[in-house]
């Protein structure tokens, strides 16, 4: 049956909820992604002692990952738009999981750097695939909320990972930790490949819900046909550059939390390895709340019909990046672990709202055929520049013996995202722009 032959949905008719179950796939995939990405920070103390590494070495591994991850964003978005999100997502999960498992067999810094580079290459399609799948399954007004739900996995991973990873790390060692997390990803990749369906091929999706999901598609397809924007031409648009610079500001501080939160707690408050699982997970709870809540508030702003989806996402990014930046700035001036936990939790709450709305923004800025490309270009900017933050942070700590300058500069950079998304990202891209 041609799904486009369905009739319009009556306003009073109750829609199905199949589209919301798709979010579960993206949450689990994102959760595995961030566990595999952040397990290094929790294994770092053991690896440093076993392999005679220092803070700069750990930061360098984070930087190598981020740079390869950043550069691979560009071809990833193009490949996803060309060959489909399902195929690219399954392939990516399978190979980044193999890279994770292989880390457990490495003994030298050069091999660890190579492993992180491979991880960066293979993880690159994950979030652009999520943006593409969301654009396929949700109308524009629901995309920020749906994105916030699956983007919360980037915070759920670091939240649940510490106690789980520490429980594995203490009795089994850091090598077995990487083996176990890698095998888990391989299993998920196989399940996703065989069971995920896109809307046109999903027999369990009702005609009414399909019509609701695709209600804007015909108009956008006509606009896309009339405007034929090439991938390379995207870099000519002001809004694209605003998204690149704005996401860099977010990723800079986010990478500091991902790679150095456990080490900071150990350094500043002498948290033991046994207790680290609890303390390192607490701030990420705020990240989960912020990602989901930020998307929900954006949807509500649209529902009351006072603003467009495009404006709602931008205003949420502006407010949350400023508040989050101020909170990060205050971290060095707190001297108790309780106060630090509260401030870090609130900071990640607001910063995660920035991420959720930024990942939903490509669906408003670009035609559906270019959503993955625009999302990947934004992510490229974030990780190309943000890749410097782990190694810069490591150098700051090794030279000064303190994290103060890292948090102060990180807070200022995070707040600068507001300027980029408000003053540069002004309009959706158009061929006549």
């Amino acid at each position: 049956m041609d799904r486009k032959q369905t009739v319009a949905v009556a306003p009073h008719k109750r829609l199905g909820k199949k589209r919301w179950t798709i979010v579960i796939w993206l949450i689990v995939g994102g959760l595995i992604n961030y566990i595999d990405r952040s397990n290094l920070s929790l294994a770092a103390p053991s690896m440093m002692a076993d392999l005679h590494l220092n803070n700069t070495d750990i930061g360098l591994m984070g930087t190598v990952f981020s740079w390869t991850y950043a550069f691979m964003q560009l071809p990833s978005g193009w490949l996803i738009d060309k060959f489909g999100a399902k195929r690219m997502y399954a392939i990516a999960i399978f190979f980044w999981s193999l890279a994770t498992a292989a880390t457990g067999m490495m003994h030298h810094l050069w091999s660890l750097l190579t492993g992180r580079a491979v991880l960066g290459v293979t993880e690159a399609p994950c979030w652009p695939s999520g943006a593409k799948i969301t654009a396929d399954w949700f109308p524009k007004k629901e995309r920020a909320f749906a994105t916030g739900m699956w983007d919360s996995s980037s915070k759920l991973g670091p939240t649940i990972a510490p106690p789980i990873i520490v429980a594995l790390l203490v009795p089994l060692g850091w090598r077995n930790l990487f083996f176990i997390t890698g095998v888990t990803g391989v299993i998920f990749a196989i399940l996703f490949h065989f069971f995920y369906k896109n809307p046109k091929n999903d027999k369990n999706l009702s005609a009414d819900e399909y019509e609701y999901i695709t209600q804007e598609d015909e108009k956008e397809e006509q606009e896309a046909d009339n405007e034929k924007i090439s991938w390379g031409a995207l870099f000519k648009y002001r809004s694209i550059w605003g998204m690149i610079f704005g996401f860099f500001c977010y990723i800079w501080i986010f990478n500091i939390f991902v790679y150095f939160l456990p080490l900071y707690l150990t350094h500043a408050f002498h948290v033991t390895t046994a207790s680290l699982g609890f303390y390192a997970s607490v701030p990420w709870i705020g990240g989960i709340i912020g990602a989901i809540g930020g998307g929900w508030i954006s949807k509500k702003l649209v529902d009351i019909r006072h603003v467009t989806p495009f404006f709602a996402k931008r205003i949420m990014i502006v407010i949350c990046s400023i508040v989050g930046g101020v909170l990060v700035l205050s971290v060095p001036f707190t001297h108790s672990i309780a106060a630090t936990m509260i401030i870090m939790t609130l900071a990640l709450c607001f910063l995660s709202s920035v991420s959720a709305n930024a990942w939903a923004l490509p669906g408003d800025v670009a035609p559906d055929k270019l959503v993955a490309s625009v999302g990947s270009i934004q992510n490229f900017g974030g990780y190309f520049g943000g890749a410097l933050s782990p190694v810069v942070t490591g150098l700051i700590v090794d030279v000064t013996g303190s994290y103060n300058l890292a948090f102060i500069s990180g807070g200022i950079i995070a707040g600068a995202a507001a300027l980029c998304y408000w003053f540069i990202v002004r309009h959706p891209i158009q061929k006549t722009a």
Side-chain angles (χ1 to χ4, degrees):
M1 179 182 71
D2 184 355
R3 302 301 294 263
K4 291 192 175 183
Q5 298 301 316
T6 55
V7 297
V9 181
H12 65 277
K13 203 160 191 175
R14 187 178 182 85
L15 290 171
K17 302 295 183 181
K18 174 67 177 179
R19 65 193 183 282
W20 294 105
T21 66
I22 300 304
V23 175
I24 297 174
W25 283 111
L26 300 178
I27 289 174
V28 176
L31 179 62
I32 293 171
N33 180 287
Y34 267 84
I35 288 178
D36 289 348
R37 188 183 307 189
S38 62
N39 53 16
L40 173 65
S41 65
L42 289 157
S46 298
M47 294 173 69
M48 290 168 73
D50 188 22
L51 303 178
H52 308 292
L53 305 174
N54 57 31
N55 286 289
T56 303
D57 295 330
I58 297 298
L60 185 59
M61 281 189 270
T63 295
V64 166
F65 166 84
S66 294
W67 268 340
T68 53
Y69 181 83
F71 279 111
M72 285 304 297
Q73 290 298 308
L74 301 178
S76 291
W78 180 83
L79 289 168
I80 292 163
D81 283 328
K82 184 172 180 62
F83 296 108
K86 175 180 178 176
R87 181 182 301 176
M88 295 305 302
Y89 196 49
I91 291 172
I93 297 171
F94 183 81
F95 283 103
W96 92 53
S97 299
L98 291 181
T100 298
T103 303
M105 297 183 288
M106 297 172 182
H107 294 82
H108 305 285
L109 178 60
W110 67 266
S111 60
L112 290 168
L113 293 174
T114 302
R116 298 306 285 187
V118 173
L119 186 69
V121 169
T122 50
E123 282 201 356
C126 182
W127 253 238
S129 294
K132 181 71 170 180
I133 291 171
T134 304
D136 288 342
W137 274 93
F138 291 88
K140 283 187 177 180
K141 73 172 187 175
E142 293 182 348
R143 289 177 188 172
F145 187 30
T147 301
M149 293 176 69
W150 61 257
D151 186 59
S152 70
S153 62
S154 64
K155 292 79 189 174
L156 178 62
T159 302
I160 69 172
I164 294 174
I165 289 176
V166 169
L168 296 171
L169 182 65
V170 173
L172 301 178
W174 65 270
R175 296 187 184 280
N176 286 318
L177 167 65
F178 285 103
F179 291 146
I180 294 170
T181 53
V183 170
T184 301
V186 169
I187 294 171
F188 177 76
I190 295 171
L191 293 175
F192 180 85
H193 174 73
F194 284 106
F195 292 105
Y196 170 81
K197 307 292 182 184
N198 62 39
K200 291 182 179 180
N201 298 327
D202 195 324
K203 297 180 180 179
N204 295 319
L205 179 64
S206 70
D208 292 333
E209 187 173 5
Y210 180 82
E211 182 69 18
Y212 175 73
I213 292 169
T214 59
Q215 59 186 299
E216 300 164 327
D217 286 1
E218 184 176 351
K219 178 181 177 182
E220 291 188 354
E221 286 176 5
Q222 292 174 352
E223 291 175 351
D225 289 339
N226 291 335
E227 296 187 359
K228 293 294 182 184
I229 302 171
S230 67
W231 183 90
L234 291 172
F235 291 93
K236 298 178 181 179
Y237 295 95
R238 171 176 173 166
S239 289
I240 298 298
W241 285 101
M243 294 168 71
I244 288 172
F245 292 128
F247 212 61
F248 153 74
C249 296
Y250 163 74
I251 292 297
W252 183 278
I253 186 60
F254 183 71
N255 271 352
I256 293 176
F257 277 101
V258 168
Y259 289 102
F260 286 97
L261 176 57
L263 289 174
Y264 174 71
L265 295 175
T266 303
H267 171 89
F269 300 104
H270 308 292
V271 175
T272 64
T273 300
S275 302
L276 191 59
F278 169 76
Y279 285 108
S281 67
V282 168
W284 296 103
I285 296 174
I288 298 170
I289 295 171
I292 298 173
W296 181 82
I297 293 172
S298 180
K299 178 179 181 296
K300 286 299 179 183
L301 289 174
V302 176
D303 286 341
I304 62 176
R305 298 184 180 181
H306 290 172
V307 297
T308 64
F310 181 61
F311 180 87
K313 296 176 182 67
R314 289 172 61 232
I315 196 65
M316 286 297 297
I317 290 172
V318 168
I319 293 172
C320 292
S321 61
I322 292 173
V323 176
V326 171
L327 288 165
V328 171
L329 274 168
S330 66
V331 169
F333 304 102
T334 57
H335 303 292
S336 71
I337 192 167
T340 299
M341 289 291 98
I342 292 171
I343 290 174
M344 285 186 165
T345 301
L346 290 173
L348 280 173
C349 178
F350 284 96
L351 292 171
S352 297
S353 181
V354 172
S355 175
N357 282 280
W359 269 111
L361 200 59
D364 294 330
V365 170
D368 279 354
K369 292 181 179 179
L370 292 172
V371 168
S373 294
V374 171
S376 66
I377 289 170
Q378 176 180 245
N379 210 26
F380 160 77
Y383 278 90
F384 179 74
L388 291 171
S389 68
V391 72
V392 168
T393 300
L395 286 170
I396 288 173
V397 176
D398 284 339
V399 172
T400 68
S402 170
Y403 284 83
N404 290 357
L405 181 58
F407 281 114
I408 292 171
S409 59
I412 294 171
I413 292 172
L419 301 176
C420 299
Y421 281 101
W422 188 252
F423 291 107
I424 305 178
V425 186
R426 300 291 300 276
H427 307 285
I429 60 175
Q430 299 175 351
K431 193 173 183 179
T432 56

